[in-house]
Amino acid sequence: MSIWWSLHLRRDAASVPLARRLLLGAMETAGVDPDISYDLSVALTEACANAVEHGGGAARGGSSEAYRVTAYLEGEKCRIEVADAGPGFPAVAGGRPHPSVRPAPYDAEHGRGLCLIQELVDHVDIGNKPDRSGAVVSFDKILKWRKGAPLMAV
């Protein structure tokens, strides 16, 4: 089984629940275990919220008023990628991006998104687009299926 979809969304708070609902609907229809679907939907929500909040600014050759969400259900794994057109993560020595993925204080209102994503999924890649015109957060999670799932991987 293989399913994929891609969304081009405005950097607007209203786009975040839309992306989340589409993912949850696809997972439910495919027969993915609800707990796995929930973890992925929360991770997607955090990544989209970051794109909405931080994904604007100095993009070269493109609109910084949009971001892209792509989801792949391939075999036993789901991979989600959220890419924006903002300034990306700041670089450290050697030119590599250095995203801030430190635990936030328990009472902080911001700064928990990337840590939360790392806790909810199996693998995370955080960095900049190759042309340095935006950030990319991608993550994977091994899928579990409901009994009798219609699209279960074989």
Side-chain angles (χ1 to χ4, degrees), residues 18-117:
L18 171 64
R20 181 179 177 140
R21 280 188 227 123
L22 285 169
L23 177 67
L24 285 169
M27 297 275 189
E28 182 179 353
T29 301
V32 174
D33 178 83
D35 291 336
I36 298 296
S37 298
Y38 179 78
D39 288 352
L40 283 164
S41 73
V42 172
L44 174 63
T45 298
E46 293 297 330
C48 289
N50 283 346
V52 167
E53 185 173 347
H54 305 292
R60 289 179 285 146
S63 170
S64 64
E65 293 306 313
Y67 67 102
R68 181 179 40 83
V69 175
T70 306
Y72 306 90
L73 279 77
E74 184 75 45
E76 295 289 329
K77 180 171 73 171
C78 178
R79 178 168 187 83
I80 298 174
E81 179 180 286
V82 178
D84 65 45
F89 293 103
V92 293
R96 296 186 58 127
H98 180 64
S100 176
V101 188
R102 295 180 305 271
Y106 76 93
D107 58 348
E109 292 185 25
H110 300 286
R112 294 186 171 154
L114 295 175
C115 290
L116 185 55
I117 292 168

